[in-house]
Amino acid sequence: MVRSSRSSAEPRIRERRRKLSPTVEVTRVRRDGMYVRVNSVGTDGTRPFLLVPGIGVSSTYFEKLAPYLNEFGPVHAVDLPGFAGVPHPDHTLSIRDYADLVGQVIDELDLVDPIIIGHSMGSQVVSDLVSRRPEISTLVLIGPVVHPTERRVITQARRFLQASWHEPNTVKVLAISAYLFCGFRWFFRVLPKMLSFPIEDRLPRIRAHTLVIRGEFDAVAPREWVEQVGELLPSSKTWEITGAAHSVMYAHAETVARLCVEHARESEQAPVDDSRLHVAPETPATDEAAEHTPAEIVTAIGGRILETAGVLQDDDEKIAEGKTIAARAIDQPED
C-alpha cells in the first residue's frame, strides 16, 4: 500500500463548486420502449462526466459528487429503468441491457469521450460498455462488484450490512427511499443478474485508463478484490479512502472528485499504469444533519418531497425543480 497526502488541487476544486449553481436539468433518452432519466448539472466545457449508480438506487447518490466534477464539462447522472421511479420494463434486464441503455445516452446526447463513473452494480454496467467501446479513454470504478468466489445472496447481504454500519445516516435514508421506489420484486429480479455477471472477464478488455476506488470499510468491495480488479485492468490506478464505506462518493465527495479530476487530466496526457493500492488520508464524512442549519434541512426535505411528487406524477420538470432545491440546500463544501 502507498499512503498519500491531500492534494493541493482540492482548494481549486472546492472553489469551482462554490461558483457552480447546482441547477439540475432532467431529460429522457429512449430505447426499445424504455427510457433512461438523465439528470444534468453544469453546461460549461466540452468533456462531460457520465455517472451510473448501483442496483436499486438512484442518481441522488451522486448529488454531493456531481458539482465537484464540473471541471471539463457538464455532469450527467442516470436513473436506469426499474430504479428511481423509472418504469419497470416488461422483462428483466441483464447487465448488457443496462450497458446498451447507457451507450444510448452517450450516442443521443452526443457525448464525446465522456469520463464514465460506475458505482457498485454500475461498475459492472460501465465495464461491459467500455470493454466494447475502445474510443472511451477514461473510466472510474467505485466499489466494484462482485468477487467471483462470493456470488451468493446470503454472502452479499452480510457484506452489505457490514458496510452499511459505517455509512452516514443520510445515505441510509437515501437507500431506504430508493429501494421503496425500486420495489423488492424488481430488485430481486435484477439481483441474480448482478451476482452472476463475470466482471473479471470484461476488465482485461478495457482499453480506458481506469481509476478504481473503494472505502476502507467497504465490505461489499473488499480490499483484496479491489486490488485484483486493478491487476486485471490493462491500465489502472487503485485508491482506498480512509474512513469511508461503500457509498464513498457521497460521504467523501470532495476527495473522490479530486481523484476523478486528476485521473481524467492524467488520461489526456500519458497515463501511468500503477495498480498498487494508494491510501488517501481520512477526511470528515458528510452528514447533512450535522453540517446544516434546521432551515437548510427543512428546505432539502421539501425539495425531496417535490421530487417524489414529480416521480409519482411522471413530471420531469417537477423532478428537476425538487432536485435543484435539495441540491442547493445541501451544497456545503467540506472544510
Side-chain angles (χ1 to χ4, degrees), residues 103-162:
Q104 184 74 17
V105 172
I106 293 174
D107 296 338
E108 186 161 320
L109 298 186
D110 196 24
L111 306 183
V112 179
D113 193 18
I115 304 152
I116 301 181
I117 299 178
H119 171 246
S120 197
M121 190 187 84
S123 70
Q124 297 178 333
V125 172
V126 301
S127 292
D128 181 75
L129 175 67
V130 176
S131 71
R132 296 180 285 128
R133 293 208 175 194
E135 72 275 11
I136 294 175
S137 67
T138 312
L139 178 64
V140 180
L141 305 179
I142 302 176
V145 295
V146 175
H147 193 295
T149 65
E150 298 187 347
R151 292 188 171 125
R152 298 177 296 277
V153 172
I154 190 65
T155 301
Q156 290 305 309
R158 174 173 53 83
R159 287 196 170 277
F160 178 77
L161 290 174
Q162 289 173 337

Side-chain angles (χ1 to χ4, degrees), residues 17 34 41 58 65-66 73 86 92 97 112 126 130 133 145 171 177 179 193 196 233 246 262 299 316 331:
R17 174 170 178 162
M34 300 174 285
V41 174
S58 72
L65 179 66
V86 178
T92 304
D97 292 330
V112 179
V126 301
V130 176
R133 293 208 175 194
V145 295
V171 171
S177 60
Y179 293 142
K193 305 293 185 181
S196 62
L233 288 158
H246 191 53
E262 291 178 350
T299 300
D316 287 350
D331 186 33

Side-chain angles (χ1 to χ4, degrees), residues 233-249:
L233 288 158
S235 177
S236 70
K237 280 195 172 181
T238 309
W239 281 84
E240 179 179 286
I241 310 300
T242 304
H246 191 53
S247 300
V248 57
M249 72 287 180

Side-chain angles (χ1 to χ4, degrees), residues 28 305-316 318-319:
R28 297 184 183 186
I305 292 173
L306 182 60
E307 177 187 353
T308 300
V311 170
L312 295 174
Q313 298 169 12
D314 195 29
D315 186 336
D316 287 350
K318 190 169 289 186
I319 294 172

Side-chain angles (χ1 to χ4, degrees), residues 9-305:
E10 288 188 9
R12 179 174 52 78
I13 293 173
R14 189 182 301 118
E15 182 62 25
R16 173 174 280 274
R17 174 170 178 162
R18 287 196 177 101
K19 293 179 180 179
L20 176 64
S21 176
T23 300
V24 181
E25 295 184 359
V26 175
T27 56
R28 297 184 183 186
V29 172
R30 300 182 183 275
R31 178 187 173 98
D32 299 333
M34 300 174 285
Y35 73 83
V36 177
R37 185 190 299 132
V38 183
N39 311 272
S40 305
V41 174
T43 57
D44 296 336
T46 58
R47 194 172 182 212
F49 275 88
L50 180 61
L51 319 179
V52 182
I55 185 172
V57 300
S58 72
S59 58
T60 306
Y61 266 54
F62 293 116
E63 68 181 0
K64 282 284 190 180
L65 179 66
Y68 284 119
L69 296 178
N70 189 226
E71 180 80 7
F72 312 108
V75 182
H76 308 288
V78 303
D79 290 317
L80 298 170
F83 309 140
V86 178
H88 298 169
D90 295 333
H91 62 286
T92 304
L93 299 183
S94 66
I95 299 300
R96 171 61 56 88
D97 292 330
Y98 280 123
D100 288 342
L101 284 163
V102 175
Q104 184 74 17
V105 172
I106 293 174
D107 296 338
E108 186 161 320
L109 298 186
D110 196 24
L111 306 183
V112 179
D113 193 18
I115 304 152
I116 301 181
I117 299 178
H119 171 246
S120 197
M121 190 187 84
S123 70
Q124 297 178 333
V125 172
V126 301
S127 292
D128 181 75
L129 175 67
V130 176
S131 71
R132 296 180 285 128
R133 293 208 175 194
E135 72 275 11
I136 294 175
S137 67
T138 312
L139 178 64
V140 180
L141 305 179
I142 302 176
V145 295
V146 175
H147 193 295
T149 65
E150 298 187 347
R151 292 188 171 125
R152 298 177 296 277
V153 172
I154 190 65
T155 301
Q156 290 305 309
R158 174 173 53 83
R159 287 196 170 277
F160 178 77
L161 290 174
Q162 289 173 337
S164 297
W165 182 260
H166 299 277
E167 299 283 15
N169 291 331
T170 304
V171 171
K172 296 173 184 175
V173 172
L174 287 177
I176 292 171
S177 60
Y179 293 142
L180 289 175
F181 265 120
C182 171
F184 292 104
R185 183 178 179 183
W186 181 256
F187 181 93
F188 284 107
R189 286 174 62 181
V190 176
L191 182 61
K193 305 293 185 181
M194 184 190 83
L195 292 179
S196 62
F197 181 76
I199 189 173
E200 67 277 9
D201 292 342
R202 302 298 192 275
L203 298 175
R205 307 177 195 172
I206 292 174
R207 302 273 72 83
H209 187 42
T210 305
L211 172 65
V212 187
I213 299 176
R214 75 175 296 270
E216 177 187 8
F217 300 115
D218 186 358
V220 179
R223 178 182 291 172
E224 61 274 14
W225 163 238
V226 168
E227 289 178 322
Q228 184 179 342
V229 168
E231 292 169 357
L232 287 169
L233 288 158
S235 177
S236 70
K237 280 195 172 181
T238 309
W239 281 84
E240 179 179 286
I241 310 300
T242 304
H246 191 53
S247 300
V248 57
M249 72 287 180
Y250 193 97
H252 297 263
E254 185 176 341
T255 302
V256 171
R258 171 179 60 82
L259 293 175
C260 292
V261 169
E262 291 178 350
H263 176 72
R265 188 173 290 111
E266 179 184 276
S267 297
E268 292 180 337
Q269 301 168 359
V272 177
D273 180 26
D274 181 6
S275 60
R276 296 173 301 164
L277 185 70
H278 298 258
V279 178
E282 185 169 6
T283 56
T286 298
D287 189 329
E288 291 179 21
E291 295 191 1
H292 293 82
T293 66
E296 289 170 336
I297 294 173
V298 169
T299 300
I301 292 173
R304 301 222 188 275
I305 292 173

